[in-house]
Amino acid sequence: MTAERSPARGPLLDPDALAQLRALDPQGRHGLLPRVAGLFEASLASLLPQLDAAEAAGDLAVVRHVTHTLKSSSASLGALALSRCCAEAERLAREERREGLPELLDRLRAELGHVRPAIAALGQPGA
């Protein structure tokens, strides 16, 4: 599943980023990749509702915090398009620019929908 591709996009998860994670636990004895994938998924359970509430309330500080957190964790798992989208949303929130932010957050959610199954597959045995 990690090699799954979107016709216009290439791999959903960057193979080099995944290789770096795998290199930290080459035999897989510590289950690093599944643990990191599981932690990412668990963090979404709190971050996505925070993002929704912050967007509805116009709370740019929380939008900035959530997108910053997602930017880093998605990059570590190779979800580079998601990470870039988060970085742009974080920048707009930091600069207190609301114009274009709702559309960008919609794009972030759509990108998350694309990569989430591939990240979840990393948590499966033999990933």
Side-chain angles (χ1 to χ4, degrees):
M1 177 77 105
T2 58
E4 185 176 320
R5 292 179 178 269
S6 171
R9 298 163 31 110
L12 291 173
L13 302 178
D14 181 66
D16 293 334
L18 293 176
Q20 288 177 348
L21 275 176
R22 285 186 177 106
L24 296 173
D25 184 16
Q27 305 303 315
R29 290 188 189 124
H30 303 288
L32 179 65
L33 197 54
R35 278 194 328 206
V36 171
L39 289 171
F40 178 81
E41 187 63 33
S43 73
L44 292 178
S46 66
L47 291 174
L48 292 179
Q50 287 178 43
L51 182 62
D52 293 342
E55 182 179 16
D59 188 339
L60 294 178
V62 174
V63 170
R64 185 181 70 240
H65 165 73
V66 170
T67 54
H68 175 79
T69 302
L70 283 175
K71 174 185 69 174
S72 302
S73 59
S74 58
S76 71
L77 284 164
L80 302 183
L82 175 59
S83 182
R84 287 188 296 272
C85 191
C86 290
E88 180 63 16
E90 178 189 15
R91 184 183 63 78
L92 288 179
R94 184 179 53 252
E95 294 172 358
E96 298 184 3
R97 293 179 46 206
R98 296 176 190 279
E99 185 178 330
L101 187 58
E103 296 81 9
L104 188 56
L105 293 177
D106 286 345
R107 196 170 92 218
L108 183 155
R109 289 180 186 99
E111 187 61 36
L112 187 56
H114 292 299
V115 300
R116 210 168 173 181
I119 291 172
L122 295 174
Q124 302 304 312

